[in-house]
Amino acid sequence: MIRSPRSASLSTRRIEAFTDGVFAIAATLLVLDLTDHSLGEVDSEAQMWAALGDMSNLFFNFALSFVLLCLLWRVHVQQFEHVQRVDTTVIWLNNARLLFIVLVPFATNLTTEYSEFVAGRLAMPVSFFLAILCSGLQWEWMARHADVMLPEMTTADVVAFGRASRSALIISAVVVAPAPWVGSWAFLPVPPRRRLHSGTAPQGRLIRGGCRRGECRRGDQYSLGTASTHSAPRVLTRRR
């Protein structure tokens, strides 16, 4: 039986470790396209450079997929910094996202090796679109039950994260639209930070180098960092 969000009693430790592992494996498998590619017969420096030049499209798709995976993982890390508890629905939405993450090496290979076909050119953009879709659905579910799953976030911060997730989904859909004609090159006009931006940090939480609420040691001194009203909320930093 699936527990209701109100009785969400699972910590995020296992889901974070599992997700980190899947992202790491998917990013590592991308290199197989490079190692499995044969340079052919090489008898001179000129032939060596020419053979490497012929791999330019392969190198491009490898680097692009690796960077996009890193950005998606970064969004996951930022979101789960604020998640306290999860339920079965969150777990399965996360599993759905990881399903498309592990398909990225295969999709990258299709886009590289079969770029003359529409299905090949669509493989990469569609895989990332579906992964972003699942990530957005997961956040929307947690936002609906923020009192249990995101108790330390303000309503404004939850809304900001949700707005950023929807923007990322829309932009990834825009990338898919021209993909039947240009393939993975459709990613290039989209700035990565806007495509996968995950919102600002919530007020009252500490960034790296500080401490979390309720975990500060006695005697530590903190000061408020400066920030404008239109930028990320102010955070506490520790004085050394």
Side-chain angles (χ1 to χ4, degrees):
M1 179 180 295
I2 299 178
R3 296 184 181 182
S4 67
R6 293 286 177 181
S7 61
S9 59
L10 302 174
S11 72
T12 63
R13 188 171 60 252
R14 294 285 183 87
I15 191 173
E16 290 181 80
F18 178 58
T19 303
D20 289 346
V22 171
F23 268 97
I25 292 172
T28 303
L29 290 177
L30 287 172
V31 80
L32 292 181
D33 282 349
L34 299 178
T35 58
D36 289 345
H37 183 84
S38 174
L39 294 178
E41 187 176 348
V42 177
D43 297 320
S44 65
E45 286 287 339
Q47 289 181 345
M48 182 67 175
W49 286 111
L52 290 174
D54 291 339
M55 296 175 61
S56 58
N57 193 46
L58 196 156
F59 282 122
F60 171 75
N61 286 333
F62 162 75
L64 178 61
S65 289
F66 186 84
V67 169
L68 291 174
L69 281 177
C70 289
L71 290 172
L72 285 171
W73 175 76
R74 175 176 171 269
V75 170
H76 159 75
V77 170
Q78 288 180 325
Q79 290 181 346
F80 270 76
E81 277 294 305
H82 315 303
V83 180
Q84 299 297 315
R85 311 296 292 179
V86 296
D87 65 356
T88 305
T89 301
V90 172
I91 291 175
W92 280 106
L93 286 172
N94 190 68
N95 290 341
R97 172 177 57 177
L98 296 181
L99 171 66
F100 298 109
I101 292 299
V102 297
L103 281 176
V104 166
F106 173 68
T108 303
N109 177 264
L110 284 181
T111 299
T112 302
E113 299 294 334
Y114 301 95
S115 58
E116 67 271 24
F117 302 108
V118 173
R121 294 191 292 271
L122 279 172
M124 267 181 67
V126 169
S127 294
F128 281 108
F129 169 78
L130 293 174
I132 294 171
L133 172 62
C134 292
S135 179
L137 292 175
Q138 182 186 50
W139 182 260
E140 291 297 331
W141 177 262
M142 292 189 294
R144 288 175 56 188
H145 312 289
D147 56 332
V148 176
M149 300 181 186
L150 307 166
E152 295 186 8
M153 291 190 73
T154 65
T155 301
D157 291 321
V158 173
V159 171
F161 268 81
R163 187 183 302 114
S165 295
R166 289 188 291 273
S167 297
L169 182 62
I170 292 172
I171 296 174
S172 63
V174 171
V175 169
V176 171
W181 295 276
V182 298
S184 57
W185 293 96
F187 285 101
L188 290 188
V190 184
R193 290 189 64 178
R194 284 191 62 87
R195 176 169 61 242
L196 297 174
H197 179 62
S198 61
T200 58
Q203 299 181 8
R205 292 183 64 91
L206 302 180
I207 59 173
R208 209 180 315 173
C211 65
R212 295 177 182 271
R213 182 183 301 174
E215 296 177 354
C216 302
R217 296 191 301 271
R218 183 177 300 176
D220 285 343
Q221 295 181 349
Y222 298 87
S223 62
L224 284 173
T226 60
S228 68
T229 56
H230 299 289
S231 61
R234 295 184 299 174
V235 294
L236 296 174
T237 56
R238 180 179 299 177
R239 292 175 179 168
R240 298 293 182 183

